[in-house]
Amino acid sequence: MEILVYALYIVAFAMFILGLSGLTAPRSAVRGNKIAAAGMAVAFVATLIHIRETSSWLIIIAALVVGVIIGIPPARKVKMTAVPQLVALFNGVGGGTVALIAWGEFIESDGFTGLHVASGPVLPLVIASLFAAIIGSLSFWGSIVAFMKLQQILPGHPLSVGRLQQPLNAILFLGSIIAAVIVGIGSVGSGADPVWFGVILVLAGILGVTTVLPIGGADMPVVISLLNALTGLSAAAAGLALNNIAMIVAGMIVGASGSILTNLMAKAMNRSILSIVAGGFGGGGSKGASAAGSGDQIAKSTSAADAAIKLAYANQVIVVPGYGLAVAQAQHAVKDMAKVLEARGIEVKYAIHPVAGRMPGHMNVLLAEADVSYDAMKEMDDINDEFSRTDVTLVIGANDVTNPAARTDPNSPIFGMPVLNVTESRSVIVLKRSMSSGFAGVENPLFFGENTTMLFGDAKKSVAQVTEELKAL
Amino acid sequence: MDYTGFLANIAILVLSGFIGFAVISKVPNTLHTPLMSGTNAIHGIVVLGALVVLGTAENPGLPLQIISFVAIVFGTVNVIGGFVVTDRMLAMFKTRPVHTNTTTTSATDGKN
């Protein structure tokens, strides 16, 4: 029977890899996801065969039923704008599972002393379990904070204790390592006091909270991606400890892919992962940048009617969506406007910055929901040369990703970050609720530019008004 | 488990890491959210670990039962919720019937 279990695990992880390869192209992605889900079902059945002689069926079935009941409704009903927080939440419970598994093992093996009965590599297994406990707990609490920030239960701007932040995090990290070492040493003798395992979980959990709290909203794509990678790695560690190849392969693949994605996001912001995790971006705004903007310059405001006229006589329009579009749920309104423009023979494209929104690819999903063809969504490198050939650029709820100071002002805190060259287009219309600066807290000289006009108000309403005016023309 | 088995597992771990790098390097920006959500669902595989810990324990005490119960619930939420939401997202990227999409395609064809 154990051979069957092992064979099924091999089938399962082959399906994971096949499914993930499918996710690399829009055409095969739906099938890829289904293959991966089927692989999960295979691995699940194999595990049930493995534990067929258990006396705990009642608990297992009850837990599975509860999990399904809790898990499906939010996944079905969530609005596409709220996907980042849901992913954060799902990621968190995954990390929580890992931490609890390690805890369960600790109890079951009397503080890991049970592992010594068998001859074999005890220490590596104990280390893997402790790694899983630390990272799992960190990922759980970190994800919960990320969820609360995105859901706006907690404020999105960075919350920190100032200069003490780094030393505090270091102490928490060291503390959880020391507690882990005590548990590890205890496993050789008569087993450490269970309190120490609690200390590991608590300290790592607080570390998760204090690490994510100081990170601003604009950095969330990187954070979610990083937490996802960490949960994957902790799953792989738990797999090592339990000698479960399906967990090792699946966890490690997620860990690796999450690391790549995190790195891509960080690069798109021209910052290192370390500096993002260290937090503290945009609390007070920087001297150079705020001086450049808040002086005597005045932004020109415009009306929906004027904006409509500009758009109506353009040849090419580029829409630059940002988090504001998601907040206002304006994706359908934008699509309606694009339809009217296209009916007039105007070409409409969408310029999507890699870190626009609150998770990687967030804007693409929203626009896809509104039926925008993915051929019209352009990545930054593909569209940056086109702005100079564009009559009107419509910036909808995007800020930092359009900031020209990132290219021109070495004093700007975001100097060096690749941005969309919107200023090169003949005119720019910025749809914005107010003159407040973006999540990074950096002034944006774009708003005071020669060719820029501002259309204040809720993005959805503004776009709808412009569409009405266009129709009336 | 003996050392050979453990080292074999380490070998699998390392190779999986490379596969992860290789497969994911090719994903376009458009699919980053579904990809993250999909890999998020895949690490829900930890539910297996929770099942194994509880399922292989002889006479599990109440603490272990409670911990495992919560762990299985969490893991199931991660897996099921993750795959469902990914599927919903991907469904929106599907090529749609031509009639709903004519304006967009005709407009973009010219430039591509």
Side-chain angles (χ1 to χ4, degrees):
Chain A
M1 272 316 225
E2 285 317 294
I3 292 177
L4 174 68
V5 171
Y6 208 92
L8 285 177
Y9 278 158
I10 294 174
V11 172
F13 72 62
M15 291 172 84
F16 292 151
I17 296 168
L18 204 63
L20 273 182
S21 323
L23 276 182
T24 52
R27 205 170 288 275
S28 55
V30 176
R31 206 186 37 176
N33 185 51
K34 293 211 163 102
I35 293 174
M40 191 61 76
V42 171
F44 185 76
V45 169
T47 309
L48 291 185
I49 296 174
H50 177 60
I51 59 164
R52 63 196 176 279
E53 279 156 18
T54 180
S55 56
S56 311
W57 279 117
L58 205 64
I59 302 177
I60 290 173
I61 292 169
L64 291 174
V65 171
V66 172
V68 170
I69 292 175
I70 299 179
I72 289 185
R76 273 191 185 285
K77 287 185 193 133
V78 68
K79 287 191 178 139
M80 280 302 134
T81 42
V83 162
Q85 45 265 55
L86 191 70
V87 171
L89 197 61
F90 285 158
N91 183 58
V93 290
T97 311
V98 175
L100 291 171
I101 292 171
W103 196 8
E105 273 181 282
F106 176 81
I107 295 175
E108 158 69 5
S109 61
D110 294 320
F112 298 127
T113 53
L115 294 175
H116 287 265
V117 183
S119 69
V122 178
L123 193 61
L125 295 187
V126 174
I127 292 175
S129 284
L130 292 169
F131 177 85
I134 293 174
I135 303 296
S137 180
L138 189 150
S139 178
F140 176 73
W141 290 105
S143 302
I144 297 292
V145 172
F147 165 78
M148 292 204 281
K149 282 187 152 224
L150 291 165
Q151 190 70 30
Q152 293 174 336
I153 300 171
L154 285 172
H157 60 79
L159 291 175
S160 77
V161 291
R163 222 181 291 162
L164 285 176
Q165 192 69 50
Q166 254 75 290
L168 174 71
N169 287 353
I171 288 170
L172 287 168
F173 182 66
L174 273 179
S176 58
I177 298 279
I178 289 169
V181 169
I182 292 173
V183 172
I185 292 171
S187 75
V188 185
S190 54
D193 194 319
V195 171
W196 286 109
F197 201 85
V199 172
I200 298 177
L201 293 181
V202 171
L203 289 185
I206 300 175
L207 179 61
V209 173
T210 56
T211 306
V212 179
L213 266 183
I215 299 177
D219 287 343
M220 275 299 156
V222 186
V223 174
I224 296 189
S225 180
L226 182 65
L227 289 170
N228 191 34
L230 284 179
T231 308
L233 289 178
S234 67
L240 271 183
L242 292 171
N243 187 22
N244 184 310
I245 52 163
M247 281 172 73
I248 296 174
V249 175
M252 196 58 206
I253 288 178
V254 176
S257 67
S259 315
I260 291 190
L261 209 50
T262 313
N263 204 22
L264 275 180
M265 294 301 112
K267 260 195 201 142
M269 307 176 85
N270 191 36
R271 300 175 60 203
S272 70
I273 296 172
L274 209 65
S275 81
I276 289 166
V277 173
F281 194 53
S286 131
K287 320 115 212 168
S290 47
S294 58
D296 37 356
Q297 287 169 297
I298 298 162
K300 296 184 285 285
S301 119
T302 186
S303 69
D306 285 345
I309 290 170
K310 257 190 204 154
L311 287 168
Y313 296 101
N315 288 317
Q316 172 162 296
V317 171
I318 295 182
V319 175
V320 179
Y323 185 56
L325 177 133
V327 172
Q329 306 252 11
Q331 66 271 34
H332 295 284
V334 169
K335 169 70 186 175
D336 289 341
M337 184 191 65
K339 256 191 218 156
V340 176
L341 290 173
E342 279 157 0
R344 298 179 74 98
I346 301 162
E347 190 155 353
V348 181
K349 290 178 183 169
Y350 301 83
I352 298 174
H353 192 276
V355 294
R358 286 296 175 269
M359 83 186 278
H362 191 186
M363 292 301 126
N364 304 79
V365 172
L366 288 187
L367 293 174
E369 188 197 9
D371 239 341
V372 172
S373 138
Y374 51 73
D375 298 323
M377 304 177 201
K378 304 290 182 194
E379 294 182 13
M380 180 166 59
D381 293 337
D382 296 331
I383 202 155
N384 253 349
D385 296 334
E386 286 212 24
F387 282 106
S388 54
R389 277 179 270 133
T390 301
D391 303 292
V392 183
T393 298
L394 211 53
V395 178
I396 306 180
N399 187 350
D400 299 322
V401 298
T402 63
N403 195 334
R407 278 182 296 144
T408 54
D409 179 6
N411 290 323
S412 171
I414 60 170
F415 181 69
M417 167 173 156
V419 290
L420 293 162
N421 298 335
V422 292
T423 38
E424 287 180 9
S425 63
R426 245 150 271 153
S427 74
V428 182
I429 305 174
V430 179
L431 276 68
K432 214 170 169 322
R433 264 177 305 185
S434 66
M435 276 309 287
S436 67
S437 48
F439 268 96
V442 184
E443 282 284 358
N444 191 344
L446 169 72
F447 303 155
F448 311 103
E450 191 100 336
N451 306 326
T452 309
T453 47
M454 312 287 294
L455 183 54
F456 291 112
D458 175 74
K460 192 176 171 182
K461 276 188 201 142
S462 300
V463 173
Q465 277 167 6
V466 171
T467 311
E468 285 310 307
E469 297 287 348
L470 274 172
K471 280 182 185 160
L473 280 174
Chain B
M1 188 180 24
D2 53 11
Y3 273 96
T4 331
F6 180 74
L7 286 176
N9 281 350
I10 294 283
I12 293 172
L13 181 85
V14 172
L15 292 176
S16 311
F18 282 106
I19 292 175
F21 277 119
V23 172
I24 303 306
S25 308
K26 288 178 272 175
V27 178
N29 282 4
T30 313
L31 289 177
H32 277 167
T33 292
L35 171 76
M36 247 180 72
S37 172
T39 54
N40 186 27
I42 288 177
H43 71 48
I45 191 136
V46 290
V47 70
L48 304 192
L51 289 172
V52 170
V53 170
L54 180 63
T56 53
E58 289 165 25
N59 306 318
L62 189 61
L64 182 61
Q65 288 184 338
I66 294 173
I67 290 172
S68 305
F69 179 84
V70 178
I72 296 172
V73 171
F74 276 7
T76 315
V77 168
N78 187 175
V79 174
I80 302 272
F83 278 120
V84 171
V85 80
T86 310
D87 191 59
R88 262 187 66 198
M89 260 188 268
L90 288 173
M92 295 182 304
F93 285 100
K94 254 194 221 157
T95 356
R96 264 164 271 256
V98 190
H99 63 272
T100 61
N101 222 356
T102 33
T103 48
T104 330
T105 32
S106 60
T108 45
D109 280 350
K111 201 69 204 172
N112 293 333

